[in-house]
Amino acid sequence: MSAKIDFSKISFLVVDGDKISAQVVFDTLSYLGATAVQRVRSPNDAFEVLRTQQIDIIVTEWRLRGMDGLEFLDVLRNSVNSPNRFIPVIMLTAHSEQRYVTTARDLGITEFLAKPFNAKALYSRLVSVITRPRHFVNTGTYFGPDRRRRQVAFDGPDRRSPDD
């Protein structure tokens, strides 16, 4: 755990319908020093909090009541009524297969964390979100953080100019 971040200055929203799972996330954030952590059980409750309060980071479960975490993310990123399209979102799930990661990435997830997780794993995702925020991309089919994690030089014949 190399980066030193004062988590007491960051507000979190945990969206999880399972009380035990939400408590584990809450306890882990508290262990890391977070003091402003709210928990809600559904996406609708999350949208209400986001409309009325300043939240810096969302940690959400994939499986939720009413709409799943992907639908929640899709509305958050793409709805004209979204309270904050740019908020970082860390998605938790027991499904860590590549197709789940790819689906979440393609809908605009900021970070992905497989369950079960430990404090170090959540910390690393939080450090990434806070210290290395990615630019947002808006195309006809995607809105969300740039999916490219690293910049690789490309000198091939199809290289786009810097103005593209």
Side-chain angles (χ1 to χ4, degrees):
M1 294 189 195
S2 57
K4 186 68 175 162
I5 296 170
D6 184 354
F7 288 104
S8 69
K9 298 186 183 309
I10 301 168
S11 60
F12 296 90
L13 178 61
V14 177
V15 186
D16 196 330
D18 182 272
K19 288 171 98 171
I20 294 171
S21 178
Q23 187 66 45
V24 169
V25 175
F26 178 88
D27 290 346
T28 305
L29 290 169
S30 296
Y31 169 78
L32 294 173
T35 56
V37 182
Q38 292 197 56
R39 293 174 281 185
V40 296
R41 298 185 71 148
S42 73
N44 288 334
D45 293 340
F47 285 124
E48 186 60 34
V49 169
L50 291 168
R51 282 187 198 91
T52 60
Q53 299 173 43
Q54 175 61 43
I55 300 295
D56 298 311
I57 298 173
I58 296 172
V59 180
T60 185
E61 166 62 43
W62 182 301
R63 299 183 71 181
L64 297 169
R65 294 184 186 138
M67 66 174 77
D68 68 26
L70 294 178
E71 292 169 310
F72 170 59
L73 180 64
D74 187 43
V75 172
L76 183 69
R77 292 287 188 238
N78 296 304
S79 172
V80 295
N81 296 321
S82 175
N84 184 349
R85 296 176 72 197
F86 297 94
I87 192 167
V89 179
I90 299 172
M91 181 162 289
L92 302 173
T93 183
H95 303 289
S96 60
E97 295 90 355
Q98 185 62 41
R99 65 187 168 116
Y100 290 98
V101 176
T102 301
T103 299
R105 181 206 62 200
D106 290 347
L107 284 172
I109 202 68
T110 313
E111 288 290 337
F112 191 90
L113 184 58
K115 290 179 174 180
F117 67 91
N118 58 31
K120 186 176 181 180
L122 180 56
Y123 180 84
S124 73
R125 299 319 186 281
L126 293 169
V127 167
S128 176
V129 163
I130 296 164
T131 64
R132 294 182 302 278
R134 290 181 277 152
H135 294 284
F136 271 64
V137 175
N138 190 5
T139 69
T141 59
Y142 175 78
F143 179 83
D146 190 340
R147 294 176 277 199
R148 295 171 293 183
R149 297 257 181 193
R150 55 193 167 108
Q151 298 297 319
V152 179
F154 179 74
D155 288 328
D158 293 331
R159 183 177 190 279
R160 290 180 282 177
S161 71
D163 297 330
D164 287 350

